[in-house]
Amino acid sequence: RVHGELFDVNARYLLAKNLTNGNSLEAFVHLRYVVEDNYDVLYVYEVQVSPEMQFKGIGKWLMRICSLIAFQNGLTKIMLTTFGNNPGAVRFYKEKLGYKLDPFSPNEEDDEDYEILSLPARNNPKIMKPVSSASIS
């Protein structure tokens, strides 16, 4: 299933490479344009940041680029799924980026171990380069 999602014709990626370290891939976002309940949304399927580059602003920077992409393409919101076994990701999206529980998220009574979060696509998201000694492109 994961292989199919990664190589789906509709899959899109944002890549952050370290140009000073052999052009190594330091982070990526897997995203797609999807329709949820008749709304066009940008759905973030996966975000990965290498351990050496975590807590340097790269994830936040990539997610802000997602916001810009969503806004520029007239999409309603950015959606993503977080899992209960990753509380750091839940804190990152909710506390650092302002994501909220989406109406499509399971209810507490459903006893699911995931939440669907979303953030409205809005004009002029603040996009600043991550704080890092590495050059990212």
Side-chain angles (χ1 to χ4, degrees):
R1 179 180 168 177
V2 172
H3 183 271
E5 289 177 0
L6 288 173
F7 295 102
D8 186 274
V9 67
N10 296 312
R12 302 290 181 260
Y13 294 91
L14 298 177
L15 307 176
K17 293 185 173 187
N18 185 335
L19 300 179
T20 62
N21 188 20
N23 211 25
S24 63
L25 181 63
E26 299 294 348
F28 74 89
V29 175
H30 170 199
L31 56 98
R32 289 190 202 175
Y33 301 118
V34 300
V35 176
E36 290 286 342
D37 198 34
N38 293 321
Y39 291 101
D40 294 326
V41 303
L42 182 119
Y43 207 104
V44 173
Y45 278 74
E46 186 172 4
V47 177
Q48 293 284 333
V49 178
S50 69
E52 302 82 30
M53 300 306 284
Q54 291 179 0
F55 305 103
K56 295 183 179 179
I58 292 173
K60 190 174 185 180
W61 179 64
L62 287 170
M63 291 305 296
R64 286 189 171 156
I65 292 173
C66 288
S67 292
L68 181 62
I69 290 169
F71 176 77
Q72 292 293 326
N73 286 283
L75 305 177
T76 306
K77 60 185 170 181
I78 302 101
M79 296 177 70
L80 53 89
T81 302
T82 58
F83 295 93
N85 65 353
N86 192 350
V90 174
R91 279 192 310 276
F92 172 70
Y93 294 115
K94 287 183 174 180
E95 295 173 15
K96 299 277 186 190
L97 299 177
Y99 279 73
K100 305 284 186 221
L101 201 61
D102 191 84
F104 286 105
S105 191
N107 296 320
E108 287 184 22
E109 311 77 68
D110 294 336
D111 197 33
E112 297 289 347
D113 194 30
Y114 70 92
E115 292 180 326
I116 297 174
L117 305 179
S118 64
L119 184 71
R122 53 183 176 247
N123 192 5
N124 197 21
K126 297 177 186 173
I127 298 179
M128 299 170 53
K129 280 202 168 188
V131 179
S132 171
S133 59
S135 297
I136 302 295
S137 76

